[in-house]
């Protein structure tokens, strides 16, 4: 298969990721001929995002995907799906079998490689809603790509270019670390923002999004441009008194938020010290407040109790 031709594509898992990526490949001129999906939401995505694609069982999708089979199922289900397809003879030599998992590399595709298929890990570094609006967000994003040989790398580079993105070549042994970095940043950001919004509501703010939007947008932009130099606030100043008041009011008002606050404040202090923004001697009162807060609450780190 030439790396410059249009591909015949099938997608197993018409969820938020699979349906959108398949729609983007279709928009780039590839032929998405089949997709699998049993839920009402998946069926709706196939009919709206992939018009003309047949909704088939997974093994039939694999057989219809002459060039590229895209498997977009949950991480824990991926190994079973690949093994099942290989065992039923649904995969063929030369066919590219790609998954969209960030956590997995090529090892999970070993059953496909054993029957002669060409494995590829192709993970979009983006969060998806499963709607048409996601197609606009794909432009310019990065893809974590792991490919075993130059010919598959060439095809992967074309696919990523067709999707409007850029490849980040991730080694097999670095896939879990790569994915941990993304999850730590994106998933925990959602939790952090919603925790902050809840505390503002507790303080009487009627529209936390209006207050947080400009602040968090500026903080994210500055962080991506400046790294640790973007840090501001009481921890970066070693302001133990302010942090102590934060701890006290959180313990009284939202005790479930306190462990995360203390852990993040401690990690923030460590980075501020390492970056030279906070002198160790100025940090001592602050670190003492955080350590005492952890002891009083009965934990040393999130999830670790001392009682």
């Amino acid at each position: 298969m030439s790396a410059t031709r249009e591909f015949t594509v099938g997608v197993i898992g018409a969820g938020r990721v699979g349906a959108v990526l398949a729609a983007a490949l279709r928009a780039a001129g590839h032929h998405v001929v089949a997709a699998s999906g049993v839920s009402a939401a998946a069926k709706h995505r196939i009919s709206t995002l992939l018009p003309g694609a047949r909704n088939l069982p997974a093994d039939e999708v694999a057989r219809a995907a002459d060039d590229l089979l895209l498997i977009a199922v949950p991480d824990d289900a991926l190994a079973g799906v690949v093994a099942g397809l290989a065992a039923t003879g649904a995969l063929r030599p030369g066919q590219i079998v790609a998954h969209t998992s960030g956590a997995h590399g090529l090892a999970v595709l070993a059953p496909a490689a054993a029957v002669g298929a060409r494995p590829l890990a192709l993970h979009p570094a983006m969060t998806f809603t499963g709607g048409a609006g996601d197609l606009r967000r794909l432009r310019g994003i990065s893809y974590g790509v792991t490919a075993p040989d130059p010919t598959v790398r060439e095809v992967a580079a074309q696919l990523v270019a067709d999707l409007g993105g850029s490849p980040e070549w991730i080694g097999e042994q670095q896939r879990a670390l790569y994915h941990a970095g993304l999850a730590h940043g994106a998933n925990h950001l959602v939790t952090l923002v919603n925790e902050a919004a809840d505390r503002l509501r507790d303080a009487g703010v009627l529209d936390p999004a209006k207050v947080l939007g400009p602040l968090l947008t500026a903080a994210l932009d500055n962080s991506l441009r400046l790294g640790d130099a973007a840090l501001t606030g009481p921890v970066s100043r070693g302001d133990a008194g302010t942090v102590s008041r934060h701890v006290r009011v959180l313990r009284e008002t939202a005790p479930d938020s306190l462990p995360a606050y203390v852990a993040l404040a401690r990690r923030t202090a460590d980075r501020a010290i390492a970056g030279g923004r906070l002198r160790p001697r100025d940090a001592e009162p602050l670190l003492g407040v955080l350590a005492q807060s952890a002891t009083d609450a009965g934990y040393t780190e999130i999830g670790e109790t001392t009682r």
Side-chain angles (χ1 to χ4, degrees):
M1 180 174 64
S2 168
T4 59
R5 64 172 285 185
E6 296 174 351
F7 304 144
T8 298
V9 182
V11 56
I12 294 177
R16 296 180 180 185
V17 177
V20 170
L21 289 184
L25 289 172
R26 180 178 180 274
H30 299 290
H31 307 292
V32 180
V33 295
S36 68
V38 296
S39 70
K43 291 177 180 178
H44 177 72
R45 293 187 191 102
I46 293 171
S47 65
T48 57
L49 294 178
L50 304 172
R54 293 173 292 164
N55 186 348
L56 300 174
D59 61 330
E60 294 184 33
V61 171
R63 291 185 174 92
D66 291 339
D67 302 319
L68 171 65
L69 177 64
L70 190 67
I71 305 177
V73 299
D75 290 349
D76 289 348
L78 182 57
V81 169
V82 176
L85 292 172
T88 59
L91 306 178
R92 68 179 66 87
Q95 181 185 37
I96 290 182
V97 177
H99 71 69
T100 61
S101 168
H104 287 290
L106 301 178
V108 74
L109 296 173
V115 299
R118 298 192 287 172
L120 171 64
L122 185 71
H123 174 254
M126 175 54 65
T127 184
F128 291 80
T129 65
D134 288 341
L135 294 171
R136 295 188 297 273
R137 299 188 188 96
L138 288 181
R139 305 301 302 182
I141 75 167
S142 296
Y143 291 77
V145 183
T146 304
D149 61 62
T151 60
V152 177
R153 286 173 66 94
E154 187 179 358
V155 172
Q158 181 203 337
L159 291 172
V160 170
D162 289 345
L163 291 166
S166 58
E168 291 291 337
W169 303 101
I170 309 297
E172 176 74 4
Q173 300 304 315
Q174 280 70 53
R175 292 291 297 196
L177 183 60
Y178 155 81
H179 193 243
L182 295 179
H184 190 31
N187 303 153
H188 297 168
L189 176 63
V190 173
T191 301
L192 180 61
V193 170
N194 285 312
E195 284 276 302
D198 287 345
R199 301 294 73 79
L200 289 178
R201 290 188 188 94
D202 292 342
V205 175
L206 297 179
D207 187 358
K210 181 179 179 182
V211 176
L212 287 172
L215 175 65
L216 299 186
T217 299
L220 178 59
D221 179 66
N222 291 339
S223 297
L224 294 175
R225 290 188 301 105
L226 304 174
D228 285 329
L231 183 64
T232 63
V235 172
S236 69
R237 298 189 296 267
D239 193 338
T242 296
V243 172
S244 180
R245 287 189 288 275
H246 290 175
V247 167
R248 184 172 64 252
V249 73
L250 287 173
R251 183 179 293 120
E252 296 170 351
T253 306
D256 288 347
S257 290
L258 185 56
Y261 177 93
V262 171
L264 287 171
R266 177 56 202 253
R267 184 60 183 140
T268 300
D270 290 342
R271 295 187 70 98
I273 293 168
R277 297 184 63 79
L278 179 61
R279 294 183 299 181
R281 68 184 184 192
D282 294 335
E284 289 179 5
L286 169 68
L287 297 178
V289 167
L290 296 174
Q292 187 60 51
S293 299
T295 299
D296 291 346
Y299 58 82
T300 55
E301 298 291 346
I302 296 178
E304 179 181 348
T305 62
T306 58
R307 294 175 183 166

